């Protein structure tokens, strides 16, 4: 069966520091991959999605970037964190076909001080 | 973009009661999912239901795509049902993918 892993689970970073969050999927090939952010008390917002290695689409302008160096690895990065980057970040995957459900990891809770 | 509205925003139930959560969306969608976010933040897939009716234990869901709404039914609620319930609709992003647009959720509290 397929599984999705995110780490770290919790992260506290100072303003201006770099960021790297990692997501990996097991048990499937060529998945679609997604990064979402959830601000406190709100719904999820799609940040990036990828349909293949090196292919990244951004949904909102921001201080973050994403990369997909391997088929089942998706990385969310920032060179300099802002206070507004605080939130709960979730990675998701789906099979590479239309109209398929997305499955979420357990998330990373990021606090910026 | 597409709008997703969930109601009610908050719901308090006595253990054992039944409830109906509603999700309205503003345009045609390729996909619709219901999630339960537990107190630890985990998003649990409840239903993938672009149309029709599905049941899983005490939960069931119905989507009427032509009228652009979906309902989630919770029967005989338990304290472990507490959390936030999200409806998310999928629209075509092109390039073989689609994005999920989430509603703001219904916060459910089940009290003993």
């Amino acid at each position: 069966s397929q599984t999705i892993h995110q780490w770290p689970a919790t992260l506290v970073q100072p303003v201006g520091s770099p960021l790297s969050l990692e997501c990996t999927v097991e048990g499937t090939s060529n998945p679609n991959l997604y990064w979402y952010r959830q601000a406190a008390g709100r719904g999820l917002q799609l940040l990036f999605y990828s349909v293949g290695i090196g292919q990244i689409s951004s949904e909102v302008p921001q201080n973050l970037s994403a990369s997909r160096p391997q088929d089942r690895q998706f990385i969310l990065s920032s060179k300099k964190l802002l206070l507004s980057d605080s939130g709960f970040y979730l990675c998701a995957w789906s099979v590479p076909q239309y109209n398929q459900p997305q499955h979420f990891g357990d998330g990373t809770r990021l606090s910026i001080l | 973009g597409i709008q997703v509205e969930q109601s009610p925003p908050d719901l308090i139930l006595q253990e054992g009661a039944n409830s109906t959560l509603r999700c309205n969306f503003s345009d045609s969608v390729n996909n619709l999912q219901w999630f339960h976010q537990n107190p630890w933040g985990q998003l649990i897939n409840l239903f993938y239901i672009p149309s029709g009716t599905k049941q899983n234990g005490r939960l069931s869901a119905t989507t009427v795509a032509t009228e652009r709404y979906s309902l989630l039914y919770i029967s005989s609620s338990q304290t472990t049902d507490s959390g936030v319930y999200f409806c998310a609709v999928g629209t075509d992003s092109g390039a073989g993918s689609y994005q999920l647009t989430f509603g703001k959720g219904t916060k459910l509290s089940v009290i003993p």
Side-chain angles (χ1 to χ4, degrees), chain B residues 48-95:
Chain B
Y48 166 67
I49 187 165
S51 64
T53 297
K54 290 185 177 180
Q55 181 157 7
N56 184 4
R58 296 181 295 104
L59 303 181
S60 63
T62 295
T63 297
V64 184
T66 53
E67 298 187 19
R68 299 179 185 170
Y69 73 88
S70 183
L71 302 174
L72 177 69
Y73 305 96
I74 304 174
S75 65
S76 304
S77 58
Q78 301 175 358
T79 55
T80 52
D81 294 332
S82 296
V84 182
Y85 289 80
F86 287 105
C87 168
V89 299
T91 53
D92 190 353
S93 299

Side-chain angles (χ1 to χ4, degrees), chain A residues 25-67:
Chain A
V25 180
E26 297 177 356
T28 187
S29 297
N30 194 31
N32 291 337
L33 297 172
Y34 310 84
W35 278 112
Y36 289 84
R37 177 169 62 197
Q38 185 177 28
R42 304 184 68 177
L44 278 72
Q45 181 184 36
L46 179 66
L47 302 177
F48 302 95
Y49 69 90
S50 171
V51 298
I53 296 174
Q55 301 180 61
I56 308 294
S57 297
S58 174
E59 291 298 311
V60 293
Q62 57 206 313
N63 183 42
L64 302 168
S65 61
S67 61

Side-chain angles (χ1 to χ4, degrees), chain A residues 90 102-106, chain B residues 33-47 56 59 84-86:
Chain A
L90 293 110
Q102 293 184 21
H103 306 274
F104 285 78
D106 288 344
Chain B
Q33 291 182 249
W34 281 98
F35 297 92
H36 174 215
Q37 189 168 41
N38 65 22
W40 297 272
Q42 294 173 316
L43 266 182
I44 311 299
N45 269 307
L46 297 178
F47 294 101
N56 184 4
L59 303 181
V84 182
Y85 289 80
F86 287 105

